[in-house]
Amino acid sequence: MELEKLFELATEVANRSYSPYSKFRVGAALLCGDGTVVLGTNVENRSYGLGICAERSAIVTALTQGKGDFRAIAVSTPDSDYPVSPCGACRQVLSEFASKDFPVAFGGADGRLVKTTMGELFPFDALHELAGK
Ligand code: THU
């Protein structure tokens, strides 16, 4: 599946974001090895620090569905007029399941889609020696 299509799905699911505190919707679409796409949104909490990002929400959902073989991720932030890249915590969590050449795409509402890789976003893979790879 094209990253553009994956990004469209991420943009659609951003409408399901639960983000009453930041009012910043985020959608993530994770392409799995079986061709299916697992979606995630950010889910905030009145205890602010407990919010979870869209990327991690998609990863947790996929693993819960028995899907652990990921091929690409797209992240959409329709409330920004520029592309917003995955946060540091999400990069760390993604790195558990993604190789250096894993495609990552992200974009905001301005129509630009940044296409990069896990290796570019997270060149020094923290604690990689514990990942068993
Ligand atoms: N957020 C994500 O879901 N993913 C990102 O990559 C950036 C930040 C969420 C966290 C919080 O709910 C809101 O966006 C504002 O930071």
Side-chain angles (χ1 to χ4, degrees), residues 19 22 24 26 42-44 52-55 75 84-87 90:
S19 44
S22 71
F24 191 78
V26 187
N42 54 332
V43 179
E44 299 184 344
I52 182 171
C53 292
E55 298 90 323
V75 183
V84 172
S85 65
C87 81
C90 288

Side-chain angles (χ1 to χ4, degrees), residues 41-114:
T41 70
N42 54 332
V43 179
E44 299 184 344
N45 192 270
R46 61 185 180 273
S47 177
Y48 297 163
L50 299 182
I52 182 171
C53 292
E55 298 90 323
R56 278 177 285 151
S57 151
I59 290 169
V60 169
T61 301
L63 288 164
T64 305
Q65 292 176 3
K67 298 170 186 175
D69 174 25
F70 307 141
R71 299 296 162 87
I73 192 166
V75 183
S76 178
T77 54
D79 298 317
S80 71
D81 54 9
Y82 51 87
V84 172
S85 65
C87 81
C90 288
R91 293 179 198 202
Q92 174 67 29
V93 172
L94 259 176
S95 80
E96 184 79 16
F97 306 101
S99 57
K100 295 282 181 203
D101 60 355
F102 185 89
V104 180
F106 55 91
D110 63 343
R112 272 182 295 161
L113 183 63
V114 176

